[in-house]
Amino acid sequence: MGKHVVAAVSELPPGSRRLAVVRGRPIAVFNLDGEFFALVNRCPHQGAGLCEGEVTGLVTADGPGRYRLERPGEIIRCPWHGWEFDIRTGQSWCDPARIRTRQYPVEVAQGSTVVKGPYVAETLSVMVEEDYVVVEV
């Protein structure tokens, strides 16, 4: 596995998510209060894109009628059938002993280190000609 730049930190503010395709794999990248996490963008149940699901928390109860929302913004719910996964670990809340979605390591790298590598970023030459921006592909 190689390291791939998927976005600038400023493009993923806290509470946001982004779909990235890395080496043909759809990856859902999440910012949880300044910490970044990445999961394969495919529910193991029937393949729905997790990035399209609702981000929620865990509802817990210590008795009838006494429930509370814990870990708000840390659970992604599959948009097709509602299976829930921990964004931090990929662990399923439907069947935690058997089901999880793949998690990928994420790090924040300073721009100066990204330029040096070993990261892989697609770059294009850009030129300004008079009042137009031209992208060379």
Side-chain angles (χ1 to χ4, degrees):
M1 283 179 34
K3 295 182 178 185
H4 300 267
V5 176
V6 295
V9 170
S10 61
E11 296 173 341
L12 275 166
S16 68
R17 63 188 127 172
R18 168 174 285 197
L19 178 61
V21 178
V22 178
R23 297 178 66 181
R25 294 184 184 121
I27 309 292
V29 183
F30 300 87
N31 181 340
L32 303 183
D33 294 324
E35 290 183 85
F36 294 89
F37 300 91
L39 302 173
V40 68
N41 189 46
R42 186 175 49 254
C43 179
H45 177 227
Q46 290 189 342
L50 291 177
C51 203
E52 300 167 20
E54 179 183 356
V55 174
T56 185
L58 289 176
V59 176
T60 60
D62 55 5
R66 296 192 319 246
Y67 59 90
R68 64 188 168 281
L69 181 67
E70 296 181 355
R71 300 182 57 203
E74 295 185 17
I75 306 299
I76 186 77
R77 183 177 295 147
C78 172
W80 289 359
H81 300 107
W83 286 31
E84 294 178 330
F85 298 89
D86 187 324
I87 292 172
R88 293 178 179 276
T89 66
Q91 187 66 50
S92 162
W93 288 98
C94 303
D95 188 353
R98 294 186 321 114
I99 300 171
R100 68 181 318 114
T101 188
R102 182 168 182 178
Q103 179 193 34
Y104 293 94
V106 179
E107 67 181 72
V108 174
Q110 294 181 342
S112 60
T113 61
V114 171
V115 172
K116 294 176 189 174
Y119 310 99
V120 177
E122 182 178 354
T123 59
L124 302 171
S125 300
V126 177
M127 299 174 286
V128 177
E129 296 177 352
E130 301 205 19
D131 295 319
Y132 303 96
V133 177
V134 178
V135 176
E136 188 175 314
V137 180

